[in-house]
Amino acid sequence: DVSVLGLPSILHEENSIRDICAHIKKKSEGDMKGFLGYSDEPLVSTDFEGDLRSSIFDADAGIMLNPQFVKLVAWYDNEYGYSGRVVDLMKHVATTDAKVSA
């Protein structure tokens, strides 16, 4: 099951939707790769079925109401995304607590 999240946000500083999207894209390709996705294509919910990432930011769906208020939109697969994080947790527990390599 794929769900969508609408995240209204009040910004501390004025910004542009372009800068916000660029920052999220950079994070999705950097230290959040595998957890955070980025999409700037016209997709629908079924396009995200089976996606293991926790959240896929939809660059085309967000809106900026003014320079300090934005609504961001992200998609996620309830089952696959959650299952992926459970596997990550099990690997972490195995390597940290049990001192074995996962």
Side-chain angles (χ1 to χ4, degrees):
D1 295 340
V2 175
S3 295
V4 65
L5 167 73
L7 180 66
S9 303
I10 297 172
L11 308 174
H12 292 289
E13 300 175 6
E14 290 189 3
N15 216 317
S16 72
I17 193 73
R18 182 178 304 189
D19 289 342
I20 292 168
C21 289
H23 179 75
I24 293 173
K25 184 174 185 178
K26 182 178 177 182
K27 296 299 276 183
S28 75
E29 295 169 345
D31 62 334
M32 300 223 38
K33 187 175 184 172
F35 302 103
L36 175 64
Y38 181 91
S39 175
D40 56 6
E41 300 175 35
L43 301 173
V44 296
S45 61
T46 55
D47 294 315
F48 299 101
E49 287 179 350
D51 198 310
L52 284 172
R53 295 172 291 181
S54 295
S55 182
I56 301 92
F57 175 74
D58 191 336
D60 292 335
I63 57 171
M64 179 160 270
L65 300 173
N66 67 51
Q68 286 189 281
F69 187 72
V70 64
K71 183 175 181 182
L72 306 177
V73 176
W75 298 90
Y76 60 98
D77 186 313
N78 296 315
E79 295 152 356
Y80 277 79
Y82 176 76
S83 298
R85 299 301 71 79
V86 170
V87 170
D88 291 342
L89 178 61
M90 291 183 335
K91 287 179 180 179
H92 174 74
V93 169
T95 58
T96 303
D97 295 340
K99 304 294 183 208
V100 298
S101 63

